Short mmCIF file of all heavy atoms in Angstrom, two decimals:
data_model
loop_
_atom_site.label_atom_id
_atom_site.label_comp_id
_atom_site.label_asym_id
_atom_site.label_seq_id
_atom_site.Cartn_x
_atom_site.Cartn_y
_atom_site.Cartn_z
N PHE P 713 137.04 51.93 91.46
CA PHE P 713 136.64 51.75 92.86
C PHE P 713 136.38 53.11 93.52
O PHE P 713 135.40 53.28 94.24
CB PHE P 713 137.72 50.99 93.63
CG PHE P 713 137.42 50.85 95.08
CD1 PHE P 713 136.44 49.98 95.52
CD2 PHE P 713 138.09 51.61 96.02
CE1 PHE P 713 136.15 49.86 96.87
CE2 PHE P 713 137.81 51.50 97.37
CZ PHE P 713 136.83 50.62 97.79
N LEU P 714 137.23 54.09 93.26
CA LEU P 714 137.04 55.42 93.85
C LEU P 714 135.78 56.10 93.30
O LEU P 714 135.07 56.79 94.04
CB LEU P 714 138.26 56.29 93.62
CG LEU P 714 139.51 55.87 94.41
CD1 LEU P 714 140.70 56.72 93.99
CD2 LEU P 714 139.26 55.98 95.90
N LEU P 715 135.48 55.91 92.02
CA LEU P 715 134.24 56.45 91.46
C LEU P 715 133.01 55.80 92.08
O LEU P 715 132.01 56.47 92.36
CB LEU P 715 134.22 56.27 89.94
CG LEU P 715 135.05 57.25 89.16
CD1 LEU P 715 135.10 56.85 87.69
CD2 LEU P 715 134.51 58.66 89.31
N LEU P 716 133.08 54.49 92.30
CA LEU P 716 131.98 53.80 92.96
C LEU P 716 131.80 54.30 94.39
O LEU P 716 130.67 54.52 94.84
CB LEU P 716 132.22 52.29 92.95
CG LEU P 716 131.18 51.45 93.67
CD1 LEU P 716 129.87 51.50 92.91
CD2 LEU P 716 131.66 50.03 93.82
N LEU P 717 132.90 54.50 95.09
CA LEU P 717 132.85 55.01 96.46
C LEU P 717 132.25 56.41 96.50
O LEU P 717 131.44 56.73 97.37
CB LEU P 717 134.25 55.01 97.04
CG LEU P 717 134.39 55.19 98.54
CD1 LEU P 717 133.72 54.05 99.28
CD2 LEU P 717 135.86 55.27 98.91
N LEU P 718 132.60 57.26 95.54
CA LEU P 718 132.04 58.60 95.45
C LEU P 718 130.54 58.56 95.17
O LEU P 718 129.77 59.33 95.76
CB LEU P 718 132.76 59.40 94.35
CG LEU P 718 132.32 60.83 94.15
CD1 LEU P 718 132.63 61.66 95.39
CD2 LEU P 718 133.01 61.41 92.93
N ALA P 719 130.12 57.65 94.31
CA ALA P 719 128.69 57.52 94.01
C ALA P 719 127.90 57.07 95.24
O ALA P 719 126.81 57.58 95.52
CB ALA P 719 128.49 56.55 92.86
N VAL P 720 128.45 56.13 95.98
CA VAL P 720 127.78 55.64 97.20
C VAL P 720 127.72 56.74 98.25
O VAL P 720 126.71 56.91 98.94
CB VAL P 720 128.49 54.38 97.74
CG1 VAL P 720 128.00 54.01 99.12
CG2 VAL P 720 128.27 53.23 96.77
N ALA P 721 128.78 57.54 98.35
CA ALA P 721 128.80 58.63 99.34
C ALA P 721 127.84 59.74 98.98
O ALA P 721 127.39 60.48 99.86
CB ALA P 721 130.22 59.18 99.47
N ALA P 722 127.46 59.88 97.72
CA ALA P 722 126.55 60.94 97.30
C ALA P 722 125.08 60.57 97.50
O ALA P 722 124.22 61.45 97.46
CB ALA P 722 126.79 61.27 95.83
N VAL P 723 124.80 59.31 97.74
CA VAL P 723 123.40 58.86 97.88
C VAL P 723 122.68 59.55 99.04
O VAL P 723 121.57 60.05 98.85
CB VAL P 723 123.34 57.32 97.99
CG1 VAL P 723 121.95 56.86 98.39
CG2 VAL P 723 123.74 56.71 96.66
N PRO P 724 123.23 59.63 100.24
CA PRO P 724 122.48 60.29 101.33
C PRO P 724 122.16 61.75 101.03
O PRO P 724 121.09 62.24 101.41
CB PRO P 724 123.41 60.18 102.54
CG PRO P 724 124.29 59.04 102.24
CD PRO P 724 124.47 59.03 100.76
N GLY P 725 123.04 62.44 100.34
CA GLY P 725 122.78 63.84 100.00
C GLY P 725 121.63 64.03 99.04
O GLY P 725 121.00 65.08 99.00
N SER P 726 121.33 62.99 98.26
CA SER P 726 120.21 63.09 97.34
C SER P 726 118.92 62.53 97.93
O SER P 726 117.83 62.83 97.43
CB SER P 726 120.54 62.39 96.03
OG SER P 726 120.79 61.03 96.26
N LEU P 727 119.01 61.75 98.98
CA LEU P 727 117.80 61.18 99.59
C LEU P 727 117.19 62.08 100.66
O LEU P 727 115.97 62.15 100.79
CB LEU P 727 118.12 59.82 100.20
CG LEU P 727 118.46 58.70 99.23
CD1 LEU P 727 118.80 57.43 100.00
CD2 LEU P 727 117.33 58.45 98.27
N PHE P 728 118.02 62.77 101.44
CA PHE P 728 117.53 63.59 102.53
C PHE P 728 117.48 65.06 102.11
O PHE P 728 118.35 65.52 101.35
CB PHE P 728 118.42 63.44 103.77
CG PHE P 728 118.46 62.03 104.29
CD1 PHE P 728 119.63 61.30 104.24
CD2 PHE P 728 117.33 61.43 104.81
CE1 PHE P 728 119.68 60.00 104.71
CE2 PHE P 728 117.36 60.14 105.27
CZ PHE P 728 118.54 59.42 105.22
N PRO P 729 116.50 65.81 102.60
CA PRO P 729 116.41 67.23 102.23
C PRO P 729 117.60 68.02 102.77
O PRO P 729 118.12 67.73 103.85
CB PRO P 729 115.09 67.68 102.86
CG PRO P 729 114.81 66.71 103.93
CD PRO P 729 115.44 65.41 103.52
#
Side-chain angles (χ1 to χ4, degrees):
F713 176 74
L714 290 174
L715 282 172
L716 177 68
L717 194 63
L718 182 64
V720 169
V723 169
S726 61
L727 292 178
F728 299 114

